[in-house]
Amino acid sequence: TSNAMWGGRFSAGPDAIMEAINASIDFDKRLARQDIEGSRAHAAMLAAQGIITDKDAEAIREGLLTVLSEIEAGDFQFSKALEDIHMNVEARLKEIIGEPAGRLHTARSRNDQVAVDFRLWVRDQCDAVDGALEALMKALIGQAEAAADWVMPGFTHLQTAQPVTWGHHMLAYVEMLNRDRSRFADARKRMNESPLGGAALAGTGFNIDRHMTAEALGFDRPSANSLDSTSDRDFALEFLAAASICAMHLSRFAEELVIWSSAQFRFVVMSDQWSTGSSIMPQKKNPDAAELIRAKIGRIFGANVALMTVMKGLPLTYSKDMQEDKEQVFDAADNLMLSLAAMTGMVETMAPQRENLRKSAASGFSTATDLADWLVRELGMPFRDAHHVTGALVAMAEGKGCDLPDLTIEDMKSVHDNINEGVFDVLTVEASVMSRQSYGGTSPVQVKKQIARWKELLA
Ligand code: ARG
């Protein structure tokens, strides 16, 4: 049998495999609510412009609400033969209200319809991600506040660098996640133009009011070029790009949690709720959630690359290639939301280990820079010379198998005669972090200021 929508021109129905490759209903049914919202706005506008009667518009409105409630209740028969969500909804509307259903698609095409639906969906996701990011930021700030001045090692190259504070480390991620938020907000702003009324590609001869539908759907304005707005998917790409960067941040933090929760580091203890055991090794407590979050960047960035590759080289305007946009974005959005929720749960429940953090911070000659700075400040040495003297002291401590504060004053003087007892004041990890008072530095005073700033911003 030929198609109910375009059967006029066709005498045969599609091959089964044609249907399998062509139908998108299995995934685009997630656009049902947006599709119905868009159709309601369109029908109301058609009536306001006298293009359809108020009576028909009312029937369409009521019918669409019935369709929506059927879909939301889970008793809607989706049909592959009807290809996609747009035609499934319209066909069901026809069954419910009859003839007026056929007037809904006046001055519209599936090309502007899907562009509207998908924009609305991605816009909602920007809002959802924003809320999830805020929750994670609050969890991190909670951790920062609970142990703001606990000392831990700061690394470069994953080698001991200088002592830092736990609060400072937590807030580093707050900064990153806040930039992620602003990237989503920015993308949301740019995508918030209504393509509805672009019709197939060229606009329409009917006297429609695109400002009315734009406003009804919460868009800032109608798009200014129908060719552009029925065929661009850069809004989805911006979402995926922001999601990729955000997932990259989560992946880095996840990696740190994996390292920190190992028996060799023991910087944090993850809660049982967010860990798994081993079927053979009874002692195991594995950070699987962190590992999975670390991995999610693979599919999220993969989606970004996939859609970018789909879109490159497509001539204007719509091509069916663009149907491949949705699964990528759905999958990336779902996995980003899941990662954010899991990370929030882990952060809320993890317990930093003060003694282990401190002990680790004090190892590896972490206050060598403080020693060199002392030589500059107290003895007036050029920094390059101070670096050299300190290096010799580190080598001496290494030879003796001790840390810098364990060297005697005689040891110190044997390398440089002018060194005095005062030097020991700067060799503790507490003194080290306390001294780093520069704006944005790791000193507890600075960190507490930043915590206060964030709490105010997120209040
Ligand atoms: N299912 C299609 C998609 O997702 C809807 C638009 C179809 N338009 C068309 N002219 N075939 O892209």
Side-chain angles (χ1 to χ4, degrees):
T1 58
S2 71
N3 187 290
M5 296 284 167
W6 51 73
R9 192 201 184 296
F10 283 65
S11 51
D15 187 274
I17 293 173
M18 174 59 194
E19 193 171 286
I21 193 173
N22 196 36
S24 54
I25 187 61
D26 284 347
F27 50 87
D28 69 16
K29 59 181 159 205
R30 289 185 72 171
L31 299 176
R33 193 171 52 75
Q34 289 76 13
D35 191 68
I36 286 170
E37 252 176 64
S39 288
R40 288 182 54 193
H42 184 64
M45 181 278 291
L46 291 177
Q49 295 297 100
I51 298 167
I52 64 174
T53 64
D54 286 341
K55 194 163 154 282
D56 284 348
E58 182 55 23
I60 289 169
R61 204 186 79 88
E62 291 291 320
L64 285 171
L65 287 177
T66 306
V67 175
L68 183 61
S69 60
E70 286 176 1
I71 292 173
E72 283 180 344
D75 47 56
F76 186 95
Q77 280 294 348
F78 290 104
S79 151
K80 259 215 164 89
L82 290 166
E83 274 193 31
D84 57 25
I85 186 63
H86 323 295
M87 298 207 291
N88 269 269
V89 169
E90 192 183 318
R92 180 69 188 126
L93 183 67
K94 180 116 193 274
E95 285 174 9
I96 300 171
I97 68 169
E99 194 254 14
R103 300 185 187 279
L104 170 61
H105 212 52
T106 314
R108 189 178 70 169
S109 155
R110 277 189 296 159
N111 295 347
D112 58 341
Q113 192 176 357
V114 74
V116 172
D117 295 4
F118 200 33
R119 263 187 189 70
L120 291 174
W121 196 91
V122 176
R123 194 179 73 182
D124 282 352
Q125 282 304 302
C126 288
D127 295 340
V129 170
D130 185 71
L133 278 167
E134 182 175 356
L136 177 53
M137 287 166 71
K138 283 181 170 160
L140 286 162
I141 291 162
Q143 278 289 352
E145 204 176 16
D149 58 356
W150 292 12
V151 183
M152 65 182 286
F155 299 100
T156 59
H157 314 264
L158 198 57
Q159 306 291 316
T160 303
Q162 295 173 352
V164 296
T165 47
W166 172 262
H168 200 47
H169 200 112
M170 293 298 109
L171 291 188
Y173 284 103
V174 172
E175 296 284 343
M176 293 177 234
L177 297 174
N178 192 54
R179 286 194 298 278
D180 289 331
R181 277 184 96 180
S182 75
R183 269 182 279 273
F184 283 106
D186 207 39
R188 188 195 194 285
K189 223 176 287 165
R190 251 187 310 278
M191 78 179 65
N192 205 28
E193 292 189 346
S194 174
L196 192 56
L201 73 163
T204 175
F206 289 98
N207 177 31
I208 58 171
D209 182 351
R210 294 191 60 210
H211 288 88
M212 180 180 169
T213 46
E215 199 189 336
L217 295 169
F219 287 113
D220 294 329
R221 64 192 78 85
S223 62
N225 185 306
S226 61
L227 302 178
D228 167 44
S229 61
T230 51
S231 70
D232 95 77
R233 291 295 181 269
D234 58 10
F235 68 93
L237 284 166
E238 281 199 65
F239 176 83
L240 292 175
S244 297
I245 295 173
C246 180
M248 175 275 293
H249 287 149
L250 297 181
S251 183
R252 296 184 74 175
F253 190 35
E255 164 74 354
E256 294 196 314
L257 294 180
V258 170
I259 295 173
W260 291 358
S261 61
S262 68
Q264 288 68 23
F265 273 75
R266 218 61 189 155
F267 286 4
V268 292
V269 172
M270 306 305 286
S271 84
D272 286 357
Q273 285 168 284
W274 294 98
S275 308
T276 57
S278 157
S279 55
I280 174 172
M281 297 167 281
Q283 86 284 8
K284 292 282 269 184
K285 189 168 152 187
N286 294 326
D288 292 36
E291 295 167 84
L292 287 162
I293 293 169
R294 184 173 59 186
K296 290 296 187 191
I297 177 73
R299 60 205 291 165
I300 294 171
F301 187 53
N304 191 3
V305 173
L307 183 55
M308 188 69 94
T309 312
V310 166
M311 294 307 294
K312 77 165 279 297
L314 284 189
L316 301 188
T317 52
Y318 182 86
S319 295
K320 199 62 173 261
D321 310 49
M322 287 156 66
Q323 180 166 284
E324 289 284 313
D325 57 0
K326 283 171 272 310
E327 282 168 294
Q328 302 296 344
V329 173
F330 291 160
D331 185 75
D334 290 347
N335 281 286
L336 183 64
M337 286 297 285
L338 189 58
S339 299
L340 286 166
M343 187 59 98
T344 303
M346 280 193 294
V347 170
E348 279 169 347
T349 54
M350 70 186 184
Q353 303 295 298
R354 185 173 199 167
E355 268 320 298
N356 294 339
L357 288 165
R358 193 198 175 282
K359 221 183 298 159
S360 177
S363 71
F365 317 107
S366 64
T367 54
T369 313
D370 300 271
L371 202 169
D373 288 351
W374 184 89
L375 295 170
V376 169
R377 233 180 9 253
E378 301 298 322
L379 306 186
M381 240 182 241
F383 182 77
R384 284 293 158 224
D385 298 346
H387 188 287
H388 195 80
V389 168
T390 306
L393 287 166
V394 168
M396 176 186 283
E398 197 166 44
K400 290 186 152 198
C402 69
D403 279 307
L404 285 174
D406 307 321
L407 291 175
T408 65
I409 187 68
E410 288 73 32
D411 293 333
M412 299 271 191
K413 282 183 179 297
S414 75
V415 173
H416 196 279
D417 200 35
N418 291 354
I419 299 179
N420 60 55
E421 293 278 353
V423 75
F424 292 102
D425 294 345
V426 300
L427 296 184
T428 67
V429 293
E430 285 77 16
S432 175
V433 296
M434 230 118 75
S435 74
R436 298 217 153 51
Q437 300 262 4
S438 54
Y439 179 79
T442 202
S443 87
V445 180
Q446 287 295 329
V447 170
K448 282 170 187 165
K449 274 187 196 158
Q450 293 297 331
I451 291 173
R453 175 184 144 242
W454 278 115
K455 286 177 76 172
E456 203 178 297
L457 281 169
L458 297 182

